[in-house]
């Protein structure tokens, strides 16, 4: 019933409204951009091409007089750092793996650790902190002392926490 009433109001005086819309004056479109005709193929274009292809001796002379010598200070620092990193040390500890496609690491740059060495050093320090001091670890693995102290402080091995089992003495909240 509602659709009929809606349709009735929508179609009321439809024809008069359509004639009114059609008779309304349309907006004037903007003028089109005028297109110039391209220049003829033989006129003037060959002269311009010849001028571009000719050598200008005065400009060549000025170009020959310019000499630029530049050096990048950052490149010199990088090359020095690369030479320092080239000193490598053999691995102290490695984990044997039979994974195909992985290259066996035999040496690392000084100041760096492999994952296996890092885990071994952390484990040794946790088990015997008096013998495996940060100074000894830094000396054994050719590390900076400041980095070694930060490594031992912030790099944490996995810790397993076993929750104690329930006993008779354990207090529990009773459901009501």
């Amino acid at each position: 019933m509602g659709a009929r009433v809606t349709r009735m109001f929508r179609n009321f005086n439809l024809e008069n409204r359509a004639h009114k819309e059609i008779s309304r004056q349309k907006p004037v479109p903007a003028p089109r951009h005028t297109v110039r005709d391209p220049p003829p193929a033989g006129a003037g274009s060959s002269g311009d091409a010849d001028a571009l292809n000719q050598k200008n001796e005065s400009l060549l002379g000025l170009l020959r007089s310019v000499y630029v010598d530049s050096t990048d200070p950052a490149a010199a620092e990088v090359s020095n750092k690369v030479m320092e990193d080239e000193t490598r040390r053999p691995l102290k500890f490695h984990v044997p793996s039979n994974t195909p496609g992985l290259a066996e690491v035999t040496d690392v740059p000084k100041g760096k650790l492999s994952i296996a060495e890092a885990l071994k050093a952390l484990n040794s320090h946790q088990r015997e902190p008096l013998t495996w001091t940060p100074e000894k670890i830094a000396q054994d693995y050719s590390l900076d002392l400041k980095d070694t102290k930060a490594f031992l402080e912030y790099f944490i091995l996995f810790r397993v926490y076993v929750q104690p089992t329930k006993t008779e003495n354990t207090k529990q909240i009773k459901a009501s």
Side-chain angles (χ1 to χ4, degrees):
M1 181 74 179
R4 276 189 183 172
V5 173
T6 309
R7 193 178 317 118
M8 192 171 74
F9 280 114
R10 189 178 50 206
N11 292 337
F12 176 75
N13 205 7
L14 181 67
E15 202 169 317
N16 285 343
R17 286 187 289 149
H19 282 296
K20 190 176 182 181
E21 189 66 33
I22 291 170
S23 65
R24 185 182 292 171
Q25 192 153 18
K26 307 290 183 272
V28 179
R32 294 208 174 262
H33 182 71
T34 58
V35 178
R36 292 188 288 177
D37 293 333
S45 63
S46 64
D48 294 337
D50 292 340
L52 289 175
N53 291 332
Q54 289 178 351
K55 289 184 180 179
N56 190 339
E57 293 300 326
S58 61
L59 290 178
L60 280 175
L62 290 173
L63 186 59
R64 286 187 185 115
S65 67
V66 174
Y67 178 74
V68 177
D69 185 24
S70 66
T71 57
D72 188 11
E77 292 174 13
V78 169
S79 65
N80 290 341
K81 189 168 186 168
V82 167
M83 293 183 84
E84 290 172 6
D85 286 343
E86 286 180 0
T87 57
R88 300 177 75 85
R89 62 171 182 79
L91 283 180
K92 300 264 183 197
F93 180 79
H94 72 281
V95 177
S97 71
N98 297 336
T99 309
L102 292 179
E104 187 71 29
V105 179
T106 57
D107 60 342
V108 291
K110 287 189 177 179
K112 307 271 186 195
L113 283 176
S114 70
I115 294 176
E117 287 177 328
L119 294 174
K120 178 75 171 170
L122 280 171
N123 192 22
S124 300
H125 178 71
Q126 277 186 346
R127 288 178 186 251
E128 301 172 11
L130 297 177
T131 46
W132 286 95
T133 62
E135 292 80 15
K136 182 176 181 190
I137 293 173
Q139 183 182 12
D140 279 0
Y141 292 103
S142 303
L143 299 172
D144 186 30
L145 183 61
K146 180 183 81 168
D147 293 338
T148 306
K149 286 180 180 177
F151 165 70
L152 293 174
E153 182 179 349
Y154 296 113
F155 197 95
I156 300 169
L157 289 175
F158 294 111
R159 292 185 182 160
V160 178
Y161 175 73
V162 179
Q163 189 171 3
T165 58
K166 293 181 182 179
T167 62
E168 300 278 330
N169 300 337
T170 307
K171 293 183 180 180
Q172 296 181 355
I173 299 175
K174 295 182 181 178
S176 52

